[in-house]
Amino acid sequence: MRLFKGSVLGLLLLPSLALAETIGEVSTVFKWVGPNDKIVVEAFDDPKVDGVTCYLSRAKTGGVKGGLGLAEDRAEASIACRQVGPIAFKGKLKDGEEVFKERTSLVFKTMQVVRFFDQKRNTLVYLVYSDRVIEGSPQNAVTAIPILPWAR
């Protein structure tokens, strides 16, 4: 029971990250055994900025290893964030703050989205990249949202 209470407390202390919703997917490579390789499109709302939704497309490895969650997904990803309503900050934003994170291998590799606020241009900038414990990848994608008035 003590271990359970500690685990729940630990989860409550984690920073809030966005949860992705699958919008769609397309198969890219047929696999005889296990799921096909595919490109998945996911959407998530920025947990600290109302009125912003990001769309992330990324490769998911199929086959037996992919079906069991043991395969390592490729580092490539694309991101497009859009203003979908009036923008309102839910607290102070920190440059480089992690907004979304997903495991792309069993242990060592993750894909993450971080946010920057370009105050001079009144623009939110989102960067997606993949990293590894030992060696990260320079592959990345960026998108920007100018903060504009929202007609109601």
Side-chain angles (χ1 to χ4, degrees):
M1 185 67 165
R2 178 174 277 173
L3 178 63
F4 176 74
K5 283 182 185 176
S7 299
V8 170
L9 180 59
L11 289 173
L12 293 175
L13 295 176
L14 286 175
S16 63
L17 293 179
L19 298 174
E21 169 190 345
T22 300
I23 300 299
E25 58 187 48
V26 294
S27 291
T28 57
V29 176
F30 175 76
K31 298 288 185 174
W32 287 101
V33 179
N36 292 341
D37 288 356
K38 56 190 163 189
I39 297 172
V40 177
V41 177
E42 299 168 313
F44 62 88
D45 298 325
D46 187 324
K48 278 196 163 179
V49 182
D50 282 338
V52 171
T53 298
C54 293
Y55 297 89
L56 183 67
S57 69
R58 61 190 185 86
K60 288 192 95 167
T61 305
V64 174
K65 282 185 177 181
L68 296 173
L70 302 174
E72 184 172 302
D73 293 334
R74 298 179 59 107
E76 296 92 358
S78 178
I79 189 167
C81 297
R82 298 294 182 260
Q83 182 175 358
V84 295
I87 290 183
F89 299 152
K90 297 178 186 175
K92 188 163 175 65
L93 302 182
K94 293 186 288 187
D95 275 347
E97 184 173 13
E98 195 172 88
V99 178
F100 175 82
K101 186 174 189 171
E102 189 163 311
R103 182 180 60 81
T104 54
S105 76
L106 185 59
V107 179
F108 299 111
K109 189 174 173 185
T110 61
M111 180 163 296
Q112 48 202 320
V113 176
V114 294
R115 175 195 341 96
F116 299 90
F117 178 49
D118 179 353
Q119 193 165 9
K120 179 180 177 183
R121 293 164 191 86
N122 200 33
T123 300
L124 292 166
V125 180
Y126 293 83
L127 170 71
V128 61
Y129 67 98
S130 181
D131 68 354
R132 260 191 179 151
V133 171
I134 299 189
E135 179 184 333
S137 170
Q139 295 177 1
N140 63 82
V142 68
T143 187
I145 304 170
I147 300 172
L148 301 171
W150 190 262
R152 293 188 189 257

